[in-house]
Amino acid sequence: MPTVCTSIKVSRDGQFILAAGTYKPRVRCYDTYQLSLKFERCLDSDVVTFEILSDDYSKIVFLHCDRYVEFHSQGGHYYKTRIPKFGRDFSYHYPSCDLYFVGASSEVYRLNLEQGHFLNSLQTNAAENNVCDINPVHHLFATGTSEGRVECWDPRVRNQVGILDCALSSLTEGTEVQGLPSISALKFNGSLSMAVGTSTGQVLLYDLRSNQPLLVKDHFYNLPIKSLNFHHQMDLIMSADSKIIKIWNKDTGKLFSSIQPQTDINDVCMYPNSGMLFTANEDPKMNTFYIPALGPAPRWCSFLDSLTEELEETPESTVYDDYKFVTRKDLENLGLSHLVGSSLLRAYMHGFFMDIRLYHKVKTMANPFAYEEYRKDKIRQKIEESRTQRVQVKTLPKVNKNLALKLMEEGDEEAKVASRKKKGKAVPSILGDDRFKVMFENPDFQVDEQSEDFRLLNPIVSKVEQKRKKKLRLLAKHAAAAQQAAEDEEELEGKASSEEDSSDDDKSWVEEVREQRRLIWQEGRDRRRQERKEADRNTVLLEEEQNEGGETSNMAESNKRQPQFYQLKAGEEFTSFNNMARKQKMQKVSLEDRLKLEENSGTNNMVDTAVGSKQLTFTLKKSEQQRKQQQAEREHHQERKKLRRSAGHLSSGRGRGWGGRGRGRGRGRGRY
């Protein structure tokens, strides 16, 4: 259907399936032998219900929502007439060729198709009639009223033969009384059985010889029953409301199966002598279900039997059957972290699947009072709901109090601004929206103000809130000025926005974010340091346990119990005291002198004894000019070594000068 399918039926010969829907209103006929659409006819108004009078599609009667009754033949539209009141259902009496119409009236209208005119109506005791049906054996006519009664009439004498009150019988122990239930569905089975569906979701099974129901079946959805069908081969009843289809035993009421489509159900039709059923629902596509346990597939789709046989031969169990999804955090809370990697847990995405029975068992052992706490919370919620009719005091909720207080303040300011403005309207607050009320009731939605994300975002959010409040004050100020000076409101709002833009240069929130980042880093460092201390302490305790026994172990244990100010670890290298003294002297020398002394080694190592075993290693990088100069000096020294001659035989002495007498000293070189 283009939009919605309202009703669906199968012809008596089983060859044609007819469905009525909207929009635009139409009827479609499908040929099962050809597995295709045979024809489609558009109608003037929506169809409430229709009936196939012949064995095939050649005679069809439609009841429209605008009180018209339309007859169709094999060639198309045949005749149209109108009933006095809006109709809700009708039935065809084959022996007399009468159509019985029920609706928003106390009368049951009779239209004789042989004579072609209306007959005298049946006057019921009800204000309105919802549904009707005719027994296929003795042709007893029954109508269901809005007061919760079923009235039975004999078409032969046109007299009422009995009244059945179903309203009080439909109330079970767990049923909530919300007005008088009305009859929403009615179906005969054989000559003595009748099923009645109520608007509160109960199905009552009656024997016509008794005024008490044989069985009451509750759907527990509190929705009107829309369809009732009998499965004669297995003595089952198929009842459907807008949410679910339930198949149950008519003698014991035991549930056989249930079907819950994704969309609301309007009508259900079973294909005769098979396990196939069709649903008309609030969706363009009409659903088809096949249950092999109810019967074989129709002969026009016998291939379904071979498909189901193949599925039975190769059963496949899915991961989700009777399993509970848990995360690693849930396993830690339950104390089941040691099961990771075992066959009891199946890894899936960011968690695991575990057997639901094991989960409930461990959950009960971990918190045996969980049910009591849950029960107390539910009782507290019921009490709080009952107090809503009393005089309410403006109090903060138990969850997210700071957020609620901020929203209340913003709502008050917006209301003040809206009251001052001429054309303003207050925006509804989150506190008054039912979609967000769980956020202030369920503790699972509590905002963790100590989390890293909140602390990093809070300065930005607070700054935005300050700007927002400032904007509201400016708007209120200019709105008041507009009322006094009768100026243009839009111009004033433009000025307010310009002033707001001028204040956007304030970047103080950046410093707050940096401060929060620094605090978070410092807390993480302290936490890691504490974890390292705990790990070292656990290591020492483990060594003490391993060294127990013997006198040596006792002495070691006594020594370890004393406070230790140092600890030797494997892999550390220690130098002698002379090296330590030399390094202490080197620390007093300037960095330039230390670099000159260690220049020949190429690398320089500096040990910071005050911090611990931290070591700083670096290599001196020289410029290209310095390297060239050093290379030139090195070549010059090598050349001088080659040219230098030995002068070890020369010694110093005294002599006279050449020009006269006197003493003098002289040095010289000579070769003898």
Side-chain angles (χ1 to χ4, degrees):
M1 289 296 168
T3 307
V4 172
C5 181
T6 56
S7 56
I8 185 169
K9 294 183 184 296
V10 180
S11 62
R12 284 198 294 271
D13 58 3
Q15 183 179 355
F16 303 100
I17 301 173
L18 285 88
T22 190
Y23 177 83
K24 299 179 180 180
R26 67 192 64 204
V27 58
R28 286 182 173 179
C29 179
Y30 299 90
D31 191 348
T32 57
Y33 292 171
Q34 302 296 330
L35 296 179
S36 62
L37 178 67
K38 186 173 183 63
F39 65 85
E40 178 183 9
R41 298 174 185 173
C42 290
L43 306 173
D44 295 335
S45 58
D46 292 338
V47 176
V48 177
T49 183
F50 69 95
E51 186 71 31
I52 305 174
L53 303 183
S54 60
D55 292 339
D56 55 2
Y57 67 92
S58 59
K59 294 181 182 179
I60 311 172
V61 182
F62 296 96
L63 176 62
H64 293 277
C65 63
D66 55 356
R67 296 190 292 149
Y68 274 102
V69 180
E70 190 171 344
F71 297 86
H72 281 235
S73 63
Q74 190 171 2
H77 176 268
Y78 180 78
Y79 181 74
K80 179 188 287 188
T81 185
R82 204 171 191 182
I83 58 177
K85 298 290 183 178
F86 290 97
R88 296 176 181 175
D89 195 9
F90 72 93
S91 296
Y92 181 60
H93 187 246
Y94 286 94
S96 61
C97 297
D98 289 341
L99 284 176
Y100 289 82
F101 295 94
V102 297
S105 173
S106 61
E107 297 181 350
V108 178
Y109 304 109
R110 294 192 303 150
L111 176 61
N112 187 272
L113 301 184
E114 183 180 5
Q115 302 178 14
H117 62 81
F118 284 94
L119 303 178
N120 293 332
S121 302
L122 304 179
Q123 183 65 40
T124 64
N125 298 329
E128 294 179 351
N129 296 278
N130 297 329
V131 291
C132 64
D133 192 23
I134 294 179
N135 192 291
V137 179
H138 47 69
H139 306 291
L140 181 69
F141 174 74
T143 175
T145 67
S146 59
E147 288 84 1
R149 295 187 181 94
V150 175
E151 297 188 11
C152 298
W153 294 72
D154 189 353
R156 297 172 296 181
V157 295
R158 298 185 300 279
N159 291 332
Q160 188 182 90
V161 295
I163 297 178
L164 186 64
D165 192 351
C166 304
L168 297 179
S169 301
S170 65
L171 300 177
T172 58
E173 295 181 359
T175 306
E176 296 181 1
V177 179
Q178 296 180 355
L180 191 65
S182 60
I183 306 301
S184 59
L186 185 64
K187 188 71 173 180
F188 280 104
N189 178 35
S191 59
L192 297 177
S193 298
M194 180 181 63
V196 179
T198 65
S199 60
T200 55
Q202 290 84 29
V203 179
L204 293 82
L205 190 62
Y206 281 94
D207 190 315
L208 294 182
R209 296 167 294 183
S210 173
N211 59 357
Q212 295 297 326
L214 301 176
L215 183 66
V216 178
K217 182 68 175 179
D218 197 342
H219 275 214
F220 296 107
Y221 278 98
N222 201 23
L223 297 174
I225 303 297
K226 290 196 172 184
S227 175
L228 290 172
N229 291 279
F230 286 88
H231 192 273
H232 303 285
Q233 288 78 9
M234 299 184 64
D235 292 335
L236 299 176
I237 298 178
M238 185 178 300
S239 57
D241 55 21
S242 60
K243 184 69 69 175
I244 193 172
I245 303 172
K246 289 191 176 184
I247 306 172
W248 44 280
N249 190 284
K250 69 175 185 179
D251 297 326
T252 61
K254 183 178 180 181
L255 184 66
F256 177 80
S257 179
S258 62
I259 303 173
Q260 188 168 1
Q262 296 180 354
T263 55
D264 291 346
I265 303 170
N266 291 327
D267 191 15
V268 178
C269 176
M270 289 193 62
Y271 194 87
N273 302 321
S274 71
M276 180 174 288
L277 57 99
F278 309 101
T279 62
N281 42 359
E282 295 286 328
D283 193 65
K285 187 176 181 180
M286 293 166 281
N287 294 332
T288 303
F289 298 97
Y290 174 55
I291 305 176
L294 294 180
R299 61 179 182 177
W300 48 270
C301 58
S302 57
F303 58 87
L304 291 178
D305 288 329
S306 59
L307 292 177
T308 54
E309 289 177 0
E310 293 177 0
L311 293 175
E312 291 179 357
E313 292 175 359
T314 58
E316 296 181 1
S317 60
T318 58
V319 182
Y320 310 99
D321 291 344
D322 299 329
Y323 275 81
K324 169 72 175 177
F325 180 80
V326 292
T327 60
R328 289 186 178 271
K329 187 176 181 181
D330 297 336
L331 291 177
E332 293 177 359
N333 296 335
L334 296 174
L336 299 179
S337 301
H338 60 283
L339 296 181
V340 176
S342 64
S343 59
L344 298 176
L345 297 178
R346 299 186 183 183
Y348 182 76
M349 294 179 66
H350 62 283
F352 305 91
F353 276 112
M354 66 181 300
D355 194 279
I356 189 66
R357 295 171 294 178
L358 176 61
Y359 175 79
H360 288 315
K361 194 172 184 180
V362 176
K363 188 76 173 177
T364 305
M365 295 174 63
N367 189 4
F369 302 102
Y371 177 75
E372 293 295 332
E373 295 176 358
Y374 171 79
R375 183 170 173 273
K376 291 180 181 178
D377 292 339
K378 284 295 181 182
I379 294 174
R380 191 180 301 109
Q381 292 178 6
K382 291 290 184 182
I383 295 174
E384 291 177 356
E385 291 176 359
S386 63
R387 291 174 178 173
T388 55
Q389 299 179 355
R390 304 179 184 178
V391 178
Q392 295 291 327
V393 182
K394 192 174 182 181
T395 58
L396 294 176
K398 296 182 180 180
V399 183
N400 292 327
K401 293 184 179 181
N402 296 333
L403 178 61
L405 180 60
K406 182 173 66 175
L407 293 174
M408 288 180 181
E409 294 176 354
E410 293 175 358
D412 295 340
E413 293 182 1
E414 291 178 356
K416 292 179 181 178
V417 173
S419 61
R420 293 176 182 176
K421 293 172 66 175
K422 292 181 179 179
K423 301 178 182 180
K425 191 178 278 187
V427 180
S429 175
I430 296 179
L431 293 173
D433 198 337
D434 294 338
R435 297 175 296 174
F436 303 97
K437 69 177 183 178
V438 183
M439 187 172 61
F440 302 99
E441 296 176 356
N442 194 345
D444 295 337
F445 293 95
Q446 177 66 43
V447 178
D448 187 8
E449 299 183 357
Q450 300 299 326
S451 62
E452 181 177 348
D453 297 336
F454 182 83
R455 293 171 62 181
L456 293 178
L457 290 174
N458 190 39
I460 304 176
V461 175
S462 61
K463 196 65 184 178
V464 172
E465 293 297 334
Q466 292 177 4
K467 291 181 180 179
R468 189 166 178 268
K469 292 179 180 179
K470 187 174 182 180
K471 181 180 178 180
L472 290 174
R473 288 194 295 268
L474 291 172
L475 289 175
K477 179 179 178 181
H478 287 286
Q483 291 180 358
Q484 296 177 1
E487 296 179 352
D488 190 2
E489 184 181 356
E490 297 179 356
E491 181 181 357
L492 292 175
E493 289 181 355
K495 294 180 181 179
S497 61
S498 63
E499 294 180 4
E500 181 196 357
D501 295 337
S502 63
S503 63
D504 286 339
D505 297 332
D506 186 10
K507 299 294 183 181
S508 60
W509 59 269
V510 178
E511 298 297 332
E512 297 181 9
V513 174
R514 290 177 179 174
E515 180 65 19
Q516 290 294 332
R517 287 186 181 275
R518 187 187 65 80
L519 294 175
I520 292 172
W521 176 83
Q522 186 175 0
E523 292 175 359
R525 183 190 62 184
D526 296 340
R527 184 172 60 256
R528 290 190 296 270
R529 185 177 298 174
Q530 186 67 23
E531 291 176 357
R532 286 197 297 269
K533 289 182 179 180
E534 292 292 337
D536 294 341
R537 187 179 297 109
N538 295 335
T539 303
V540 172
L541 294 176
L542 183 61
E543 291 177 356
E544 290 179 359
E545 293 177 358
Q546 293 177 354
N547 295 331
E548 287 182 355
E551 296 179 358
T552 306
S553 62
N554 293 334
M555 294 177 62
E557 185 177 359
S558 60
N559 292 333
K560 288 181 180 179
R561 289 177 181 175
Q562 296 178 359
Q564 298 180 359
F565 300 98
Y566 62 90
Q567 183 179 1
L568 302 181
K569 296 182 179 180
E572 298 288 343
E573 297 180 358
F574 297 91
T575 57
S576 62
F577 291 101
N578 294 331
N579 293 338
M580 296 296 295
R582 184 175 62 82
K583 289 182 179 180
Q584 290 180 359
K585 291 181 180 180
M586 289 293 293
Q587 288 181 355
K588 298 180 181 179
V589 184
S590 62
L591 179 61
E592 182 180 3
D593 296 339
R594 277 185 283 173
L595 295 177
K596 289 180 180 179
L597 292 174
E598 299 181 359
E599 186 176 2
N600 295 331
S601 61
T603 59
N604 296 278
N605 299 333
M606 297 178 63
V607 180
D608 189 2
T609 58
V611 179
S613 61
K614 295 183 179 179
Q615 185 175 5
L616 175 66
T617 304
F618 58 91
T619 304
L620 295 177
K621 292 185 179 180
K622 299 179 181 179
S623 62
E624 187 68 23
Q625 184 178 0
Q626 291 177 350
R627 286 197 297 270
K628 289 181 179 180
Q629 184 177 358
Q630 289 183 359
Q631 184 67 20
E633 291 179 357
R634 194 178 298 110
E635 293 176 355
H636 175 70
H637 285 302
Q638 291 177 357
E639 185 181 359
R640 288 289 303 272
K641 286 182 180 180
K642 293 179 181 179
L643 299 177
R644 188 174 61 185
R645 292 172 295 180
S646 175
H649 60 279
L650 297 181
S651 61
S652 61
R654 295 180 180 181
R656 295 176 178 266
W658 289 353
R661 299 176 65 184
R663 287 184 172 182
R665 297 180 179 179
R667 296 179 180 179
R669 293 180 180 179
R671 181 176 292 180
Y672 294 91

